[in-house]
Amino acid sequence: MFILITYDVCTSDSAGRKRLRRVAKLCVNYGVRVQNSVFECQADAAQWRILKNDLLSEIDEEKDSLRFYYLNDNQHSKAEHYGAKNNIEVDKPLIF
């Protein structure tokens, strides 16, 4: 499945900055950062359950927010990108 993850973590204290780093690190393990707090992730059902649980356990629900957009592969191909960052397709091989 293809999931768009967005988050907003309160960084007014050191605990918030740590939460922000941990949330970003979890997302990087499953996808590609497309903007500062936006990731395009590809995961099967089992991987998604683990990632979602891990993300929810990291945030402070009183101060932070997470949004998950569930998209299918056809919707991913309809995404448009304009601007500086090159678009990386998370479901294609990445060669360095």
Side-chain angles (χ1 to χ4, degrees):
M1 80 178 55
F2 182 71
I3 309 111
L4 188 70
I5 301 172
T6 66
Y7 55 87
D8 187 19
V9 177
C10 178
T11 58
S12 60
D13 59 13
S14 64
R17 291 186 290 276
K18 287 178 185 176
R19 286 194 313 275
L20 177 66
R21 286 191 297 275
R22 290 192 304 258
V23 167
K25 192 175 209 178
L26 284 167
C27 290
V28 151
N29 290 335
Y30 289 89
V32 175
R33 182 188 302 256
V34 292
Q35 292 190 359
N36 287 339
S37 297
V38 180
F39 281 82
E40 292 177 349
C41 298
Q42 189 82 30
D44 62 29
Q47 291 170 325
W48 174 237
R49 280 192 300 275
I50 293 167
L51 175 57
K52 183 178 178 183
N53 185 54
D54 290 347
L55 287 169
L56 291 172
S57 69
E58 287 295 340
I59 67 163
D60 179 342
E61 290 190 27
E62 298 294 317
K63 300 177 182 178
D64 309 330
S65 68
L66 278 169
R67 290 184 66 90
F68 307 121
Y69 298 89
Y70 303 96
L71 307 170
N72 62 37
D73 291 331
N74 292 336
Q75 289 167 317
H76 177 248
S77 64
K78 293 179 184 176
E80 294 183 20
H81 172 81
Y82 302 94
K85 290 188 176 183
N86 291 333
N87 195 17
I88 298 173
E89 296 182 35
V90 296
D91 58 342
K92 305 289 187 217
L94 185 59
I95 301 170
F96 293 95

